[in-house]
Amino acid sequence: MLRADVAIVGAGAAGLSLAYLLSDPPPGRRRLSVLLIDAPPGPLRPPLRTWCFWEPGRGWYDDAVTASWQNLRVHTRAGQSLTSHIAPLRYKMIRSDDFENLIAHSLQQSDNVQCIEATAEAVEGIAGGALIHGRTADGQPLNARARWVFDSRPLGSLPAGRTTLLQHFHGRFVESDQPIFDPGTAELMDFRTPQPAQGLSFGYVLPTSPTHALVEYTEFSPQLLSRQAYEAVLSHYTRDVLGLPDLKVVSTETGVIPMTDAPFTRQTAPSVFRIGAAAGATRPSTGYTFAAIQRQIQTVANALLSGRNPRPPAAHSARSRAMDAVMLRALDSGRVGADFFSRLFTHVPMERLLRFLDGRTCLHEDLAVGIRTPVLPMLRSAAELLYLPRRPFPRP
């Protein structure tokens, strides 16, 4: 029986971030024993992925940042180009493997974090803590006991919500023989893509050097596309919209992010908690997750190091979640789409809009953004939420 003060199940962004913050506590804070349980290489580990977020100045994970930008550009559906300098914010991109390597190096220097490869099969709340039952990669049983357990594994199914859309995307990391990209400016959203009947689509370009970039197509809609369809729309965006020449494809990424107004359970037993996307860290109206995870994990780590109950807080405020529910309903009903976002970027300063999308604005700033939205469609969508039932959503 392994024993620890804290057990973390799953080594994604949330699990690794929590282990990192507990690995080297500041002077005068509690030093806790930590057990990090990560699934062995195989289907339970997620593929390589890219996280984007914005923050002012330097952050905890800047050594893992692939690239960052203070100039962001948006193309409206009508083709208008809007470029903004977002200081004091920086828009940052982190590859998951770089993030994992950074955290792994830190954990190797720690004497209070033990990392184990095993598949957690059950987490059982008991008096004064919890038990974890699982198996190692060679089939040996694993049993661990901890005072607090934080489970960051993806949920098997989504909780019931009134509206659920899928943010699904396909991107290519490309290389050019010539310096054709501007590494000082990122294309945040380009709405000059074919729009679905429900939801919206956009492309974006994140240049990491004059010759390298991530070019991606993203869609918010109820249904996924086929692999051939993703390739077709991405090729159309790269060739016909951006006018780029044939480029060498270095690697690709494909993913699905559920966007739902469903409530997420953050506590499953007195000493067992969910964290990260499994605890609702994904912003329902945008799909951004990484920054909300960091805010949630910072609160949890501070509570643990101070000897307080570490129940994770909601990753987004009640006001933000209410606005997101209206937005999702408006997108799902087809009342708003790409023109809605184009209008916002045209009339709202981008730095303020980014803070709004991150849930960091105050009430009067939210109202200032709200008056730039189509009032009647949004009011109708809000009214419908009063009687829409919550239904389970099949896993994509």
Side-chain angles (χ1 to χ4, degrees):
M1 176 73 70
L2 297 172
R3 296 180 183 272
D5 296 316
V6 176
I8 303 168
V9 181
L16 287 175
S17 297
L18 182 55
Y20 175 75
L21 292 181
L22 297 178
S23 66
D24 187 21
R29 307 296 291 274
R30 303 176 72 204
R31 192 169 191 84
L32 303 169
S33 57
V34 179
L35 180 64
L36 177 62
I37 302 174
D38 189 18
L44 293 181
R45 283 198 182 179
L48 294 179
R49 54 225 183 272
T50 302
W51 297 309
C52 291
F53 61 102
W54 46 89
E55 63 181 352
R58 285 190 57 83
W60 293 329
Y61 309 115
D62 272 18
D63 288 341
V65 168
T66 304
S68 66
W69 308 268
Q70 280 198 308
N71 295 316
L72 299 182
R73 183 166 50 235
V74 171
H75 273 96
T76 69
R77 193 177 180 188
Q80 182 182 6
S81 177
L82 308 169
T83 303
S84 296
H85 190 67
I86 61 170
L89 300 178
R90 293 195 72 89
Y91 190 79
K92 300 180 179 182
M93 178 177 77
I94 289 182
R95 299 296 308 277
S96 60
D97 53 346
D98 293 329
F99 179 78
E100 291 163 3
N101 291 334
L102 175 70
I103 302 300
H105 177 74
S106 176
L107 297 185
Q108 288 170 2
Q109 313 304 314
S110 173
D111 59 3
N112 66 313
V113 179
Q114 181 180 4
C115 302
I116 292 180
E117 284 191 353
T119 300
E121 298 173 337
V123 179
E124 174 191 359
I126 60 172
L131 295 176
I132 302 169
H133 305 286
R135 292 197 175 274
T136 61
D138 59 3
Q140 297 300 310
L142 169 78
N143 295 291
R145 176 172 181 157
R147 175 65 183 92
W148 305 107
V149 174
F150 298 89
D151 193 345
S152 67
R153 295 172 299 171
L155 298 176
S157 61
L158 291 175
R162 292 165 297 190
T163 309
T164 300
L165 292 175
L166 300 175
Q167 179 182 158
H168 46 108
F169 52 87
H170 180 62
R172 299 170 182 159
F173 288 88
V174 296
E175 178 182 349
S176 169
D177 293 333
Q178 302 296 323
I180 61 174
F181 299 110
D182 175 9
T185 302
E187 191 85 40
L188 181 68
M189 288 184 172
D190 188 340
F191 296 107
R192 296 174 296 172
T193 51
Q195 297 299 314
Q198 291 175 270
L200 79 156
S201 72
F202 56 90
Y204 62 86
V205 182
L206 303 181
T208 57
S209 78
T211 56
H212 293 77
L214 169 62
V215 182
E216 195 143 300
Y217 171 84
T218 298
E219 188 172 303
F220 297 179
S221 62
Q223 302 294 330
L224 304 181
L225 304 182
S226 67
R227 179 73 182 198
Q228 292 78 10
Y230 286 122
E231 291 288 351
V233 293
L234 184 55
S235 294
H236 165 76
Y237 176 62
T238 303
R239 180 185 63 249
D240 300 329
V241 176
L242 298 177
L244 295 177
D246 289 336
L247 301 169
K248 177 184 177 182
V249 178
V250 178
S251 62
T252 63
E253 69 171 19
T254 302
V256 182
I257 302 173
M259 302 164 59
T260 179
D261 67 353
F264 284 77
T265 300
R266 302 191 303 278
Q267 185 169 9
T268 59
S271 296
V272 181
F273 307 99
R274 290 178 181 150
I275 54 174
T282 299
R283 183 75 195 265
S285 61
T286 65
Y288 283 107
T289 305
F290 191 82
I293 285 177
Q294 300 312 315
R295 293 194 296 269
Q296 186 183 70
I297 294 306
Q298 177 72 72
T299 302
V300 169
N302 285 339
L304 286 167
L305 296 175
S306 301
R308 294 181 279 109
N309 187 300
R311 186 177 191 271
H316 304 286
S317 69
R319 187 169 77 244
S320 294
R321 296 196 302 273
M323 291 187 294
D324 288 346
V326 176
M327 167 61 66
L328 284 176
R329 177 58 189 163
L331 282 171
D332 191 41
S333 66
R335 297 188 186 106
V336 301
D339 290 338
F340 168 84
F341 282 92
S342 295
R343 179 184 175 90
L344 285 182
F345 281 107
T346 301
H347 295 286
V348 180
M350 193 175 295
E351 183 270 340
R352 178 188 297 175
L353 191 53
L354 289 178
R355 289 190 295 108
F356 172 78
L357 295 176
D358 208 20
R360 292 301 192 95
T361 45
C362 53
L363 179 58
H364 78 271
E365 290 176 307
D366 290 346
L367 294 174
V369 173
I371 63 175
R372 298 297 183 180
T373 65
V375 176
L376 290 180
M378 300 305 278
L379 287 177
R380 182 177 175 184
S381 299
E384 288 177 348
L385 294 177
L386 298 175
Y387 58 84
L388 281 177
R390 294 189 181 274
R391 296 190 177 94
F393 187 81
R395 186 174 179 83

